[in-house]
Amino acid sequence: MAERKHVDFWFDPICPFAWATSRWIKEVQKVRDIDVTWHVMSLSMLNDGRELPADYREKMDRSWGPVRVITKAIADHGASVTDGLYTAMGELFHHEQLEDRAEVIARALEQVGLPAELAEAADTDAYDAKLRESHEAGISKVGQDVGTPIVAVDGVAFFGPVITRVPTGEDAGRLFDASAELASFPYFFELKRTRTESPTFE
């Protein structure tokens, strides 16, 4: 019998690629013996100080809020709230296609039964040190030239997999097996092809 594996997953709730990969991990939980711990990271923090196209810079400047709110929720209510709050935000961002960050935050907090005043954290850097600690814990495992998501399987970390559809059933399990196996080779770094579509959620 295969040993139970532990997965650490770093995400930014605004990222559709992280969302697709996170829903895949949810499918993997149904067919493989894994435990998952969810961690915040921030694309805004990752891109802070970098030269970016104006439209992407504007997106990064207004994207601190959701991950700051999750960080504050963890600080106040414990890590167990991470999964549910991320799921609520992700469904609003990526399935309902809401762009108003404040609306997403307010509705997600209500859905999971967390205090509405947690939304105030979106507009303050008071918890950015805790956010940076979580962010750096993930990014230090894979380097600065990546984004979200970061996945670690039993401590072996990689960026991605970048997927545009969410496999289910044994397909989800097979992709997990392959990803973990490739990542286990210390001299394996990259396997890539040009992406021809954006994530699709049905």
Side-chain angles (χ1 to χ4, degrees):
M1 185 175 180
E3 286 188 21
R4 193 171 187 85
K5 294 183 179 295
H6 184 81
V7 174
D8 289 283
F9 192 107
W10 281 265
F11 67 89
D12 185 319
I14 70 162
C15 179
F17 296 101
W19 178 250
T21 306
S22 74
R23 298 312 95 180
W24 161 65
I25 287 292
K26 289 282 195 181
E27 293 296 321
V28 174
Q29 285 183 291
K30 300 174 184 177
V31 295
R32 295 292 186 271
D33 289 328
I34 64 170
D35 296 309
V36 184
T37 302
W38 303 94
H39 307 272
V40 288
M41 65 178 293
S42 170
L43 288 173
S44 297
M45 186 168 283
L46 183 68
N47 288 290
D48 195 27
R50 294 182 177 180
E51 290 291 330
L52 300 171
D55 57 341
Y56 194 68
R57 167 56 60 198
E58 188 273 335
K59 182 179 180 180
M60 290 299 96
D61 287 346
R62 63 188 178 89
S63 292
W64 287 92
V67 74
R68 281 173 166 168
V69 170
I70 295 176
T71 303
K72 168 68 169 169
I74 293 168
D76 288 2
H77 301 277
S80 63
V81 303
T82 313
D83 183 8
L85 188 51
Y86 174 36
T87 294
M89 286 187 182
E91 288 175 349
L92 293 166
F93 276 131
H94 307 300
H95 293 270
E96 295 193 27
Q97 297 290 305
L98 293 180
E99 295 187 5
D100 187 323
R101 274 39 174 170
E103 181 182 357
V104 168
I105 289 167
R107 287 179 57 179
L109 289 171
E110 182 179 14
Q111 284 179 25
V112 299
L114 286 170
E117 56 266 25
L118 285 171
E120 298 170 5
D123 300 314
T124 175
D125 63 2
Y127 283 82
D128 281 7
K130 287 186 177 295
L131 171 56
R132 184 171 297 279
E133 181 180 334
S134 180
H135 175 92
E136 292 295 340
I139 209 74
S140 66
K141 296 179 183 297
V142 292
Q144 295 288 332
D145 57 340
V146 301
T148 60
I150 295 169
V151 177
V153 180
D154 290 339
V156 177
F158 49 91
F159 163 58
V162 176
I163 57 176
T164 58
R165 312 288 174 94
V166 180
T168 60
E170 189 55 25
D171 284 346
R174 288 172 54 237
L175 179 56
F176 178 80
D177 296 341
S179 299
E181 185 68 21
L182 281 174
S184 71
F185 288 89
Y187 45 81
F188 176 82
F189 291 99
E190 189 169 347
L191 180 69
K192 190 172 183 178
R193 59 185 168 193
T194 299
R195 179 173 55 82
T196 59
E197 62 181 19
S198 296
T200 299
F201 309 111
E202 297 179 357

